Amino acid sequence: MLKIINVVGARPNFMKVAPIVEAMRRRADEFAPLVVHTGQHYDAAMSDTFFRDLQLPAPDIHLEVGSGSHAAQTALVMQRFEPILLAEKPDWVIVVGDVNSTLACALVCAKLGVRVAHVEAGLRSRDRTMPEEVNRVLTDQISDLLLTPSRDADENLRREGIPAERIRCVGNVMIDSLRANLERAVNSDVRNRFKVAAADYAVVTLHRPSNVDDEVVLKRIFSALDRIAGRLPVIFPVHPRTRASLEQFRASEIQNADQTTARSQIKLIEPLGYLDFLRLYSGARLVLTDSGGIQEETTWLGIPCLTLRENTERPITIEMGTNKLVGTDAEAITREAFAALEHSTASAPRPQIPLWDGRAAPRVLEALLEASKS
Ligand code: UD1
């Protein structure tokens, strides 16, 4: 029997951990899973609704860390996770993704000699100004088992000198959640609530510090969104970080967008739960985002995505032809959006990516069992 601590901290972790915990509960004679929530994200809309939507059991332990500077947040997670690890003595800790909680918990494990597996290992944007890239590189260096979503990630790890025996390509656990919930999401009334018809609206999400903390960049992006909204409704669930910037900058470009005015069709709404958001983006004609996960989810569904960044740690989404990097220049965003709208009326055929097949979580379990023998 393997005792496993599954760490979740922030919104993008929940959909990655849910299928792993579910797979472990189905094999209760081999796995005893615990869920530890660091509390990096704590709002109902950023955290609680995801437990309900994803049928993820309530956390066994909550560290209630909350917001703070990177150093303060990372340090507090470490400080509060250490006694849990000493008391629980798990065989493995699983960390996912690239948030501050991921690195903090992996580092505590490395120092205490507890084995740690990193799910979604090996992704690289090669942009060290992104906090997530620092978290990815460091977490991979100190983890015992690196579970990757695709072959390009294996290659990145090998180039950084990580021995092949620590690397296993298991596929994309986030796609497990997407596939498992696509049918359930049909019951969401989100499109009625925001009065949009399938394949006749765009969805926007933004939360990267480089896009939303900088007034000039954020205004540039909004001027592009305003023009796109002249063509079709734009639904924009606003991340708390972005909401704080909007309030701080109070720009007229942005105020025009808030609420639905006659001039603009940009609807700024509260963050959505997993099922509502899945229902929303899966019916969109176009998605504009700076998120990592949404680039992958749109790729799997064959929905055109424009990524408002200069780089991506998920190059496979570009190779598949669904995703395009457009940066943050207003002209470029508008031009590419109009081009994408011209070429698409509905979603394209779904690209086939090896191991994005809804069976990544069982492969995570197999990898843990195998690595436990050594
Ligand atoms: C974090 C992750 C990022 C991930 C994103 C998804 C890091 C470094 N960044 O970014 O990788 O893509 O989550 O959402 O770990 N806030 C709330 N309520 C919440 C959570 C946050 O109001 O429930 C506010 C806080 O005041 C905070 C700000 O949002 O100052 C940012 O939160 P933080 O966890 O620091 O980073 P994110 O930008 O959310």
Side-chain angles (χ1 to χ4, degrees):
M1 171 77 81
L2 292 180
K3 182 174 182 179
I4 316 273
I5 288 185
N6 296 274
V7 174
V8 291
R11 184 169 65 177
N13 295 160
F14 305 126
M15 59 293 277
K16 295 168 193 164
V17 165
I20 297 173
V21 171
E22 211 225 6
M24 287 181 183
R25 282 154 71 100
R26 272 195 262 114
R27 293 170 68 169
D29 50 333
E30 294 165 285
F31 292 93
L34 286 176
V35 175
V36 174
H37 191 339
T38 66
Q40 178 175 344
H41 283 177
Y42 45 83
D43 285 348
M46 298 296 285
S47 174
D48 304 359
T49 63
F50 286 81
F51 281 81
R52 270 197 308 278
D53 280 3
L54 292 158
Q55 299 170 312
L56 183 61
D60 298 283
I61 296 161
H62 206 302
L63 305 183
E64 293 179 356
V65 162
S67 302
S69 69
H70 283 273
Q73 192 175 55
T74 308
L76 198 54
V77 173
M78 291 182 68
Q79 213 176 326
R80 295 197 176 161
F81 188 58
E82 187 177 50
I84 306 295
L85 212 48
L86 290 169
E88 295 293 341
K89 300 187 177 52
D91 297 294
W92 286 92
V93 170
I94 295 187
V95 295
V96 298
D98 55 18
V99 302
N100 287 339
S101 301
T102 309
L103 172 62
C105 293
L107 190 47
V108 175
C109 292
K111 294 286 179 80
L112 289 179
V114 175
R115 284 188 291 189
V116 57
H118 183 207
V119 172
E120 205 184 76
L123 299 186
R124 296 290 182 270
S125 66
R126 301 183 212 296
D127 175 2
R128 293 274 174 109
T129 65
M130 283 177 76
E132 294 84 356
E133 180 73 356
V134 177
N135 292 342
R136 286 190 281 260
V137 170
L138 297 179
T139 303
D140 286 341
Q141 281 298 326
I142 57 179
S143 293
D144 300 277
L145 186 57
L146 300 163
L147 302 171
T148 63
S150 49
R151 295 289 173 201
D152 56 301
D154 297 15
E155 197 45 48
N156 290 336
L157 293 171
R158 273 196 287 270
R159 247 184 271 137
E160 288 173 17
I162 292 176
E165 59 269 20
R166 278 168 55 200
I167 307 169
R168 296 273 182 294
C169 189
V170 292
N172 194 329
V173 283
M174 212 181 53
I175 303 299
D176 289 18
S177 279
L178 171 52
R179 289 177 70 127
N181 288 293
L182 210 46
E183 283 295 310
R184 291 177 65 225
V186 171
N187 296 323
S188 157
D189 66 350
V190 69
R191 293 183 202 158
N192 290 343
R193 256 189 284 149
F194 298 111
K195 300 184 178 55
V196 286
D200 196 24
Y201 60 93
V203 173
V204 177
T205 81
L206 293 174
H207 75 276
R208 295 264 154 233
S210 58
N211 282 343
V212 307
D213 293 0
D214 183 324
E215 184 169 355
V216 175
V217 176
L218 193 58
K219 285 183 179 173
R220 248 183 4 229
I221 295 174
F222 262 81
S223 82
L225 296 181
D226 206 28
R227 286 168 63 191
I228 296 164
R231 291 268 183 103
L232 80 177
V234 171
I235 314 284
F236 185 168
V238 184
H239 187 285
R241 170 186 283 278
T242 312
R243 174 71 66 187
S245 292
L246 296 182
E247 278 160 16
Q248 191 195 335
F249 302 151
R250 296 206 159 278
S252 61
E253 294 91 326
I254 291 166
Q255 277 178 336
N256 282 340
D258 211 347
Q259 313 309 329
T260 315
T261 64
R263 198 173 70 81
S264 168
Q265 292 193 79
I266 305 179
K267 293 181 193 175
L268 298 184
I269 63 172
E270 291 302 307
L272 292 171
Y274 185 79
L275 293 172
D276 279 347
F277 189 59
L278 171 52
R279 182 71 180 151
L280 190 67
Y281 73 77
S282 63
R285 175 119 167 243
L286 176 67
V287 172
L288 299 103
T289 190
D290 61 8
S291 151
I294 295 170
Q295 296 173 53
E296 296 183 336
E297 290 166 327
T298 49
T299 291
W300 191 82
L301 288 163
I303 293 179
C305 177
L306 298 180
T307 295
L308 278 57
R309 288 169 46 187
E310 306 297 339
N311 51 55
T312 179
E313 61 287 336
R314 281 134 164 126
I316 197 162
T317 61
I318 310 276
E319 284 159 32
M320 293 292 147
T322 50
N323 185 24
K324 192 161 188 179
L325 291 175
V326 295
T328 59
D329 175 68
E331 282 306 315
I333 297 169
T334 316
R335 189 178 58 244
E336 293 295 344
F338 287 174
L341 291 175
E342 226 149 80
H343 293 125
S344 85
T345 47
S347 58
R350 292 178 185 175
Q352 299 296 316
I353 302 176
L355 306 185
W356 291 26
D357 58 356
R359 305 275 308 152
R363 285 191 288 268
V364 168
L365 271 53
E366 291 308 326
L368 285 170
L369 287 170
E370 202 188 310
S372 299
K373 289 181 201 148
S374 53

